[in-house]
Every structure is written in structure tokens, then in C-alpha cells.
Amino acid sequence: MKSFWKPGYLEKLKKPAFLPFAVLILGIVTAVFRLYFFNLGTDDRGLYPAGHLFDSMSWVYVAIAMVLLFIGTRKLGGLKKYEENFPASTVPALGTVLAAAAFCIAVIAELAQPADIIQTTAAVLGFVAVAALLVLAWCRYIGLKPNMLLHTAVCVFLLIYLVSHYRLWSSYPQLQTYAFELLAIVFTMLAGYQRAAFDVDLGNRRDYAFFSLSALFFSIATLPSCDNPVFFIGCAVWMFFTLCSLEPGEDEVAEEENTEAEEENTEAESAE
């Protein structure tokens, strides 16, 4: 019987199926570091203590998350068809509905504040995106491939939302105060774009998994300092529940079996 600590068992922990939960934990830990950092308060110039341990550790965890995702998603291949990656399922459909509800609440909160033309446009597009997400939830529930315009509508909303808020963020003197929000929206938008590619059979599992899990990480990590936490909770829920299949394709299974066979042969030769 193999020991638990032998490479064969440890390799299982490196499989893509563990990535969502690893990213979830990394995002929560980073959010805790940032929470403690912002609780330190500002000095007489209105600046947070840059270079503080909590500040540095949050960026260390960003690097860890990005490296983990880059390496982990490289193993994904095959399963390019929509039906293979997004089969009919209740849980992802429910997650999409929850994301739509969060976006709706976030847009209403935005409308409650004084708004210019760009903010108003973002709000209108936000309601369009909510409607699109609800249709996408229904499509996922019944196993129907959606029209790519639905994901495109969500991406357009995210783009205008980003432009609207970046005008304020650009005046902030410290990167820590807005970078996580900016990256959360950028990665969510890119994930939406990659998701739309699956709707026309041009999807790439590596790219989609990388961008969606990066969006999940930053959406959670930004919660202690963001202006609209409900919006980023919606992004996190959408990304977590609408991942593509992380199961290996036939080519990956064959490659893994060949690798295991080679390792067993090497072990047998060493024993002799």
C-alpha cells in the first residue's frame, strides 16, 4: 500500500479541481490582511502606512495566487465544446441568479447617489446585465447554449462600470486603496469575454479558468476596502459557480496514465 506522503498522493492536490477552493482561501486570507491594514488608519496627510507588514503580505498573496493559477490552469486542455464544460445543472444556475440579484442591488445603490451621464449609463447597462444573467441562468438550468450577446451585455456593463469608477480611483494616492477593485473588475470582464467565446465554440479552458479564478480571488480580497461590496460579492459568486469543467480531457488522462506508468517502471527498476 502506498504511503499518503508519496508523490502519487501529493500530485492529487495539484489537480485543477482543487483550484477554486485554494483561490477562495487565498482570497479570504488576503482580505484579512487588508482589513487589518486599513484598520491602522491614516496619518495627518491622509495616507495609510505603506510598506507595513499587512500591506506587504497582501501583495505576497497576490503573487502566490497568480503563480498558482498560472501553473494550475496550464494542465487544462481538451473539452472545448460548450456542452462538455457547461452541462445542465441547478447549482450554477442558482449561482448566476444570486449574482444577478447582487448586481441589481449594487446598481440600485449606485442610483441612490448623485450621478453624471457615465454613471447613469452604467446603471442602465447594469439592469440590462441583470436581465442577461437571469436568461443565462435559465439556459444553464435547461442545458441550452446561450447567445453570445448575453455575456457581451454583461462585459459592456463591467467596462462602463470600470470607466465610471476609475475616474475617482485615479485620484487616490496609494495603489492599495483601489488596485484590488480595479483588478477584480478587469478579470471579471475578461472572464466574461472568455465565457462568451464558449457560446460560439471558440472557448479556451486554460484562459477562462485563469481569468475567472483570478476574478474570484480579487473580488474577495477587495471586500475590506471597496465602495460597493455587494457588487464584488456578485462577481465572486458568478465566477465561483460558473467555472468550466476542471476535469481532465481524454488527452490529459492519457498523458497522466503514461506518466504514472513511467514512474512505476522507474520505481520497479530502482527496487531491482
Side-chain angles (χ1 to χ4, degrees):
M1 182 179 294
K2 290 185 178 181
S3 168
F4 175 81
W5 297 106
K6 284 193 175 182
Y9 281 86
L10 294 178
E11 278 296 319
K12 294 181 180 180
L13 298 178
K14 300 178 183 179
K15 291 187 176 180
F18 288 91
L19 286 176
F21 304 99
V23 169
L24 195 62
I25 293 172
L26 289 172
I28 292 172
V29 173
T30 306
V32 171
F33 280 127
R34 301 187 72 241
L35 178 63
Y36 279 108
F37 173 72
F38 287 111
N39 281 341
L40 295 173
T42 59
D43 57 20
D44 54 357
R45 297 176 298 170
L47 299 176
Y48 290 96
H52 188 278
L53 175 63
F54 295 139
D55 178 27
S56 301
M57 287 304 298
S58 68
W59 293 112
V60 168
Y61 270 75
V62 168
I64 292 173
M66 293 298 99
V67 171
L68 173 67
L69 289 177
F70 180 80
I71 295 175
T73 56
R74 293 308 91 187
K75 299 179 181 180
L76 292 174
L79 299 180
K80 295 181 179 180
K81 293 183 179 180
Y82 175 88
E83 295 78 7
E84 295 175 313
N85 286 284
F86 307 102
S89 181
T90 302
V91 175
L94 179 59
T96 306
V97 171
L98 293 175
F103 279 11
C104 185
I105 295 172
V107 170
I108 293 173
E110 293 276 333
L111 285 175
Q113 304 173 5
D116 58 19
I117 184 63
I118 296 181
Q119 292 169 314
T120 302
T121 301
V124 172
L125 291 173
F127 288 118
V128 174
V130 168
L133 286 171
L134 292 175
V135 176
L136 287 168
W138 175 250
C139 290
R140 186 65 188 273
Y141 179 71
I142 64 176
L144 176 68
K145 182 193 295 185
N147 189 294
M148 68 170 294
L149 292 177
L150 294 172
H151 283 107
T152 301
V154 182
C155 289
V156 172
F157 160 63
L158 292 171
L159 176 61
I160 302 302
Y161 187 91
L162 175 63
V163 172
S164 173
H165 284 258
Y166 185 75
R167 295 177 302 166
L168 176 62
W169 296 338
S170 62
S171 65
Y172 291 172
Q174 291 178 283
L175 196 63
Q176 182 70 253
T177 55
Y178 70 90
F180 283 79
E181 289 180 79
L182 186 151
L183 290 171
I185 298 175
V186 168
F187 277 112
T188 303
M189 183 171 57
L190 290 172
Y193 170 79
Q194 293 294 333
R195 181 67 177 76
F198 279 100
D199 300 339
V200 289
D201 294 326
L202 295 174
N204 184 307
R205 283 209 300 165
R206 293 186 182 94
D207 292 344
Y208 178 65
F210 177 81
F211 287 123
S212 59
L213 289 173
S214 296
L216 172 63
F217 170 79
F218 284 108
S219 294
I220 294 173
T222 196
L223 291 177
S225 65
C226 63
D227 297 328
N228 198 337
V230 177
F231 171 79
F232 291 100
I233 290 173
C235 291
V237 170
W238 187 33
M239 293 295 99
F240 184 80
F241 285 102
T242 58
L243 281 170
C244 59
S245 172
L246 298 179
E247 295 298 323
E250 293 181 2
D251 53 341
E252 295 164 293
V253 171
E255 182 179 351
E256 186 174 344
E257 289 176 349
N258 291 335
T259 301
E260 290 178 355
E262 291 176 0
E263 290 178 353
E264 290 177 359
N265 292 335
T266 301
E267 289 179 0
E269 292 175 358
S270 300
E272 293 176 359

